[in-house]
Amino acid sequence: MEEINKGLLEKLGLNNEDYNDIIFILKRNPTLTELAIFSAMWSEHCSYKSSKHWLKKLNTKATWVIQGPGENAGVIDIGLGNAIVFKIESHNHPSFIEPYQGAATGVGGIMRDIFTMGARPIANLNCLRFGSIKDKRTNHLFEGVISGIGDYGNCTGIPTVAGECSFDKRYNKNILVNAMTLGIAKKNKIFYAKAGNIGNIVFYVGSKTGKDGIHGASMSSGAFNTKTDTLKPTVQVGDPFTEKLLMEACLELMKKDAIVGIQDMGAAGLTSSAVELAASSNLGININLDKVPLRDKSMTPEQIMLSESQERMLIILNPKKEKVAKQIFSKWNLNYANIGKINSSKNITLKYKKLNVANIPISSLVSSKTFKRTFSVYKNRYVKKNYRKEKISSLVKKILNNHNYKAKNKIWEQFDHMITRNVISQMGGNASVIKTNSGYQAIAATTDCNIFYCDVDPYEGALQAVAESYRNLISVGARPLALTNCLNFGNPEKNIIMGQFVNSIKGINRASKKLKLPIVSGNVSFYNETNDNNIPPTPQIGAVGVIEDYRKVISYNSFELSDNIYLIGTPGSHLSCSAYERCFYDYKDIKRNSIPPKVNLEDEQYNGEFISKLINDKIISACHDISDGGLLVALVEMCLINKCSISFSKKFQSHSFLFGEDQSRYIVSVSDIKLKDFEKKIKTTKIQYTKIGRIMDSKIINFADKSFINIDELEKLNKL
C-alpha cells in the first residue's frame, strides 16, 4: 500500500486540513481507497465548492420546468405529452491534453446524461474556443477536437446540428470544449438518480473498467503547467459503438418497469455514481469490487473506484427484474454484473478480495466544504476613440476575414447533421430546428457567448449572451423556454476571477428572469489557467424553444429576390467593444477603454414578441438577429448564403449605423404582397424601424462611399 504522506495528498488534490477533517469524520485514519474517494468527491469538479453559493441564486423555476438543476440534465414540458431533456457541460482540460479523445468523450458523456433520464438523444451542439490560429499547437488541437466530435456523433447516429467556434490567443494554453445534447421523452416517463428502497440491487453495465481517466476529476479541478503530457493517462478513451448499444439497452430496459434509478459513471466514475444514487434516497450502498468487470485484473480498489472509463452505467434495479435486465444486456452484447445492494447504513462500503477497504458516511461526501470566496470587480473606463477612415468595403472584408467570423463549413462538413432526417434547418443559421415527430411540433436550440463583451464587462456580457440566445430562437419562429449554461473561468482563488464569475451569474439571472427563461441545468469549469494565465470569462449559454408548427419556420436566408429589407429596432450607434473596433485596436486597449452595448430587456422582450407575431402570421419571409459586426455584417451574411446583393434605399454612410452592435435588433425581409400588412402592424407598436433596401439578383454590393464588394470574391475570403 502506498504510504499516505504530503506528496500523496498533493497528488490527490488534498491538503493537511482536508486530511485532518477526514480523520475526524471517520474517527480513524483513512485507507488509501477512502482517501481517493474523498479526493474525488471533494474536488472542485464534483463538489462545486467555489460556485455552489452563487448557483443557488439562479432562476430555475417555471410552470413548464419538470426538473431543474440537481439531476443529470434539465427537463421541460413542451406540450403534446413531450418533454425535452438537455444540458451543456465542459471537457476542457481533457481536450487540451488529448484533443481527439477529450472531445469525443465529452460528447459521449453529455449524451449519457440525456438518455440516463429516459430521453432519446436527438441533437448535439458544441461551443469551441481555440487559441490564436498562428499558434503552432492550435491547428493540432483544432483538427483533433473537430474529428473527435464528428466521429463520435456520427457513429452513434446523433446529428450535430449547431455550435460556435472562435479563436483568440488568450485560449492558447486552455482551449474550451463545451458539448450540449438534447433528447426527447414522454413527460411522465422521466428517470432519476435514486436508490429507491432497501434491498434493491446495484447493476453495472457497459464497457469494462480500465485505467484510463483515473484522477480525471482531480485533474479538472486544478490549473495547468507546462507538463501537460504527463496528464494523458487522466484522459478517457471513448467507444461510440458501445455507447450506441448502451443507449439502446437502457432505453429498452426503461420500458420494462425495471429501473428504480440510474446514473452515468462520469466524473469520478463508480465513486460519484454510487454515492449520488444512495444519497438521493438517504440510504447506504454496499459494493463488491471483485464483481466489477475489469480490463486489467491488476487494478487496485482505488483505481477501480476512480476510473473514468467511458460507456458505463450504474443502475438500481428491482430484484424481481434482474432476469429481464440480464436478457436485455445480453441481447445488446454488453458487459454487466450485479455488484451490490442498497442498505440502511447511510454509508458506502466496499469489499475487495474479501477485505473491507472503505466504509464512509455518504453525507460527508456530498456535503463538502462550501467556499464563499472573496471577489473583486474590475471597473474599466470608457474612452471615446478616433477611428481612422477606411472604406466600408475594406472594413467588411477585414471583419469577415477574421477567423472568428469566417464561415465554418470546414467544421460542419465533418458532422452528419441530417442523419435522422428530422433536422429541418441548415448549419450556420440563427438556431437549429429539429422535429419531435408529434404532429408539426419542433424544437429550436442555439448556443451563444460573446467573449469580447464578457472580458470587458462580465455582467453585461453574460446578460447579452442570454439576450442573443433569445433572439436566435425568436428568429426561427420558436417560443423560448429555458436555458442551460457552461460557466468557464480561470482560477477562482483569485479575487478578480471570482468577481468575473459572480457578475456573470448576476447578469444571467437578470436576463433569465425578465425573458422568462429558467436555467434548468449546467456546469461550472474553473481553473482554466496555465502558468498563471487565465482564459477570458466565458459563460456559455445554451437555449431551447418550442415551435408548434414547423411549417412556419423561417431562416436568415429564406427570402426571395426583390424582397424588401427592414431593420427592426434602433439605428446602430454603439461601436465600443465591437468587431468594428477590433479592426483598429487590440483586446488590451479595448479592455481598458471600452464598454459593451447595454441590453434593454424591456425592448428585447417587446421586439421579440413582435417578431414572433410576424412569423406566426406569415408576414415576413426571413429573419436574422443582429449581433457581432452589426447591421452590415448580418446583411452580408444573408447575401453570401444565397449569392445575391442588396440595393440600398438610402446612402447609408455612417459607420456607427452600419457596424454598431446595439442590441434587441433584427433584419427582416418582406415581400411586396405582404408589405402593407407589415407596415400596418409595425405602426401600431413603439418599435423603431428603417427601410434598408431590396434583395437583388446581383453579385455586387455597392456602398454609399463608392466602394463595393463582390460576393464571389468575399466568399473565397470568408472560408476558414
Side-chain angles (χ1 to χ4, degrees):
M1 181 181 287
E2 191 172 354
E3 183 185 353
I4 297 174
N5 53 35
K6 186 178 179 182
L8 177 61
L9 292 177
E10 287 178 354
K11 180 182 175 182
L12 293 173
L14 299 169
N15 55 38
N16 286 331
E17 184 183 339
D18 294 327
Y19 185 64
N20 289 330
D21 287 343
I22 292 168
I23 292 173
F24 179 80
I25 291 166
L26 299 177
K27 298 180 174 55
R28 56 176 169 80
N29 291 329
T31 67
L32 184 56
T33 303
E34 290 171 329
L35 202 63
I37 289 171
F38 274 106
S39 163
M41 294 304 297
W42 285 5
S43 69
E44 185 74 57
H45 193 71
C46 291
S47 71
Y48 285 53
K49 56 191 176 188
S50 296
S51 58
K52 210 176 327 186
H53 171 79
W54 295 101
L55 294 174
K56 289 178 180 178
K57 299 179 182 295
L58 287 172
N59 171 42
T60 62
K61 298 184 185 302
T63 56
W64 54 91
V65 174
I66 297 172
Q67 175 63 54
E71 272 287 341
N72 288 296
V75 188
I76 57 172
D77 184 348
I78 60 168
L80 302 182
N82 293 328
I84 290 298
V85 182
F86 66 105
K87 186 183 180 184
I88 186 172
E89 66 178 25
S90 63
H91 229 225
N92 303 334
H93 287 61
S95 298
F96 181 73
I97 298 165
E98 214 300 305
Y100 183 90
Q101 292 295 349
T105 53
V107 174
I110 192 64
M111 284 174 53
R112 287 194 299 279
D113 282 341
I114 302 309
F115 70 77
T116 295
M117 300 206 59
R120 178 169 290 279
I122 58 173
N124 292 325
L125 299 86
N126 54 72
C127 315
L128 312 173
R129 311 287 177 183
F130 295 99
S132 168
I133 203 71
K134 297 176 182 178
D135 182 74
K136 63 181 182 180
R137 199 176 180 205
T138 293
N139 284 320
H140 165 70
L141 294 170
F142 175 81
E143 296 292 341
V145 165
I146 301 304
S147 295
I149 291 171
D151 288 355
Y152 205 100
N154 295 349
C155 289
T156 54
I158 311 302
T160 301
V161 299
E164 282 192 294
C165 180
S166 62
F167 301 84
D168 189 280
K169 61 184 178 183
R170 289 166 290 177
Y171 296 102
N172 277 356
K173 302 297 183 183
N174 287 275
I175 65 171
L176 302 185
V177 177
N178 296 175
M180 177 176 169
T181 296
L182 304 100
I184 188 164
K186 291 299 177 183
K187 70 177 186 180
N188 59 347
K189 294 290 184 179
I190 305 299
F191 289 80
Y192 300 94
K194 61 181 182 179
N197 299 314
I198 295 167
N200 285 336
I201 56 178
V202 182
F203 240 70
Y204 173 117
V205 62
S207 295
K208 291 183 178 180
T209 296
K211 290 183 178 180
D212 54 315
I214 294 172
H215 297 303
S218 300
M219 176 271 294
S220 296
S221 303
F224 279 161
N225 55 40
T226 54
K227 298 179 180 179
T228 56
D229 284 344
T230 62
L231 297 171
K232 283 188 177 181
T234 65
V235 179
Q236 311 92 329
V237 177
D239 178 358
F241 301 104
T242 299
E243 178 98 344
K244 174 66 173 174
L245 298 176
L246 183 62
M247 176 175 69
E248 298 299 340
C250 287
L251 292 175
E252 184 176 342
L253 186 59
M254 286 168 175
K255 295 177 181 178
K256 301 294 185 180
D257 196 29
I259 295 178
V260 176
I262 181 169
Q263 183 75 335
D264 162 43
M265 292 190 219
L270 183 54
T271 291
S272 61
S273 56
V275 168
E276 289 166 7
L277 282 164
S280 67
S281 299
N282 197 26
L283 292 171
I285 186 168
N286 178 61
I287 293 175
N288 186 345
L289 296 180
D290 296 328
K291 294 184 178 181
V292 174
L294 301 178
R295 293 204 301 268
D296 185 342
K297 298 296 183 182
S298 70
M299 291 181 71
T300 64
E302 54 273 12
Q303 288 175 329
I304 297 171
M305 290 302 294
L306 294 190
S307 168
E308 294 181 11
S309 294
Q310 297 292 284
E311 295 83 40
R312 302 180 301 157
M313 288 285 185
L314 201 63
I315 301 177
I316 308 300
L317 287 174
N318 181 330
K320 295 178 181 179
K321 299 287 186 175
E322 183 175 0
K323 186 178 178 180
V324 173
K326 287 179 175 179
Q327 288 173 341
I328 290 172
F329 297 149
S330 296
K331 168 188 170 181
W332 291 100
N333 197 30
L334 291 166
N335 301 294
Y336 63 87
N338 182 339
I339 65 169
K341 221 173 230 187
I342 300 300
N343 57 50
S344 62
S345 70
K346 299 185 180 181
N347 285 13
I348 178 170
T349 54
L350 305 176
K351 283 191 176 181
Y352 177 73
K353 296 183 178 178
K354 298 182 180 180
L355 297 175
N356 294 319
V357 293
N359 188 359
I360 307 172
I362 287 173
S363 60
S364 68
L365 297 172
V366 296
S367 58
S368 63
K369 300 174 185 177
T370 299
F371 296 140
K372 192 175 179 182
R373 297 191 184 277
T374 57
F375 62 91
S376 59
V377 179
Y378 171 81
K379 289 288 184 183
N380 63 324
R381 55 178 185 153
Y382 172 66
V383 177
K384 188 176 181 180
K385 299 179 182 67
N386 294 313
Y387 306 109
R388 65 177 180 268
K389 291 184 179 179
E390 284 199 35
K391 293 289 187 181
I392 295 171
S393 60
S394 172
L395 290 163
V396 171
K397 290 175 182 177
K398 277 187 179 180
I399 292 172
L400 292 182
N401 191 40
N402 184 301
H403 283 83
N404 291 327
Y405 301 98
K406 286 190 176 203
K408 303 301 191 298
N409 304 58
K410 184 177 179 179
I411 299 173
W412 305 330
E413 287 166 1
Q414 297 190 50
F415 305 154
D416 189 346
H417 73 285
M418 300 299 289
I419 195 167
T420 62
R421 298 189 178 184
N422 279 337
V423 182
I424 57 175
S425 57
Q426 65 188 72
M427 298 290 280
N430 297 307
S432 272
V433 180
I434 309 102
K435 297 177 187 176
T436 66
N437 291 326
S438 292
Y440 295 110
Q441 188 189 63
I443 58 168
T446 183
T447 60
D448 294 285
C449 180
N450 186 316
I451 65 164
F452 303 102
Y453 294 172
C454 293
D455 192 35
V456 173
D457 187 334
Y459 175 87
E460 288 292 343
L463 190 154
Q464 190 273 342
V466 175
E468 187 174 349
S469 293
Y470 174 85
R471 289 198 300 275
N472 278 325
L473 295 176
I474 290 287
S475 296
V476 298
R479 174 163 52 90
L481 286 178
L483 305 175
T484 183
N485 57 49
C486 193
L487 307 175
N488 307 274
F489 293 84
N491 187 344
E493 297 166 39
K494 297 178 178 179
N495 286 358
I496 192 69
I497 303 300
M498 197 64 201
Q500 293 171 348
F501 175 79
V502 171
N503 274 280
S504 294
I505 289 283
K506 290 179 178 180
I508 291 170
N509 210 30
R510 184 179 163 219
S512 163
K513 288 178 178 178
K514 181 62 183 177
L515 299 176
K516 298 181 176 63
L517 291 170
I519 298 108
V520 299
S521 59
N523 170 243
V524 178
S525 175
F526 279 136
Y527 295 100
N528 293 288
E529 173 193 87
T530 297
N531 296 334
D532 210 38
N533 293 315
N534 291 276
I535 64 162
T538 313
Q540 195 70 49
I541 298 296
V544 174
V546 67
I547 298 166
E548 274 76 26
D549 187 347
Y550 61 70
R551 294 172 297 179
K552 294 180 179 181
V553 167
I554 63 175
S555 68
Y556 75 128
N557 68 323
S558 55
F559 51 80
E560 300 289 338
L561 291 176
S562 79
D563 273 3
N564 302 277
I565 298 296
Y566 283 85
L567 163 65
I568 306 296
T570 58
S573 62
H574 193 99
L575 291 174
S576 185
C577 213
S578 66
Y580 176 93
E581 187 169 83
R582 293 195 293 280
C583 292
F584 305 99
Y585 297 92
D586 70 12
Y587 77 92
K588 291 181 180 177
D589 291 318
I590 292 171
K591 185 162 183 170
R592 283 193 299 266
N593 301 315
S594 298
I595 54 173
K598 288 189 179 294
V599 180
N600 184 317
L601 291 170
E602 295 284 348
D603 289 349
E604 199 69 65
Q605 187 178 37
Y606 189 86
N607 294 2
E609 289 174 350
F610 178 69
I611 294 291
S612 292
K613 289 176 183 175
L614 292 179
I615 295 173
N616 192 60
D617 293 342
K618 297 184 177 181
I619 291 174
I620 58 177
S621 51
C623 183
H624 195 8
D625 82 298
I626 299 175
S627 54
D628 299 12
L631 169 69
L632 187 53
V633 169
L635 285 170
V636 172
E637 287 173 346
M638 295 169 75
C639 292
L640 277 168
I641 196 71
N642 279 4
K643 295 187 178 181
C644 57
S645 69
I646 298 283
S647 173
F648 293 98
S649 58
K650 296 178 183 177
K651 291 185 177 181
F652 298 114
Q653 295 199 54
S654 165
H655 286 196
S656 59
F657 178 84
L658 294 169
F659 297 101
E661 296 184 9
D662 307 66
Q663 302 291 294
S664 316
R665 302 189 304 155
Y666 303 82
I667 297 167
V668 300
S669 71
V670 190
S671 67
D672 286 340
I673 295 172
K674 298 288 185 177
L675 194 57
K676 284 186 178 178
D677 290 337
F678 169 77
E679 291 186 340
K680 183 180 178 182
K681 282 187 179 292
I682 200 164
K683 285 176 181 177
T684 65
T685 72
K686 62 181 183 181
I687 297 171
Q688 293 187 62
Y689 66 103
T690 306
K691 175 72 179 289
I692 301 300
R694 282 185 182 270
I695 299 291
M696 300 297 291
D697 186 13
S698 169
K699 299 291 182 69
I700 305 296
I701 303 179
N702 293 293
F703 301 115
D705 63 358
K706 299 183 179 179
S707 67
F708 68 93
I709 54 175
N710 183 302
I711 290 296
D712 285 341
E713 292 177 3
L714 192 61
E715 185 180 33
K716 294 177 183 176
L717 183 72
N718 192 228
K719 288 183 178 178
L720 188 63

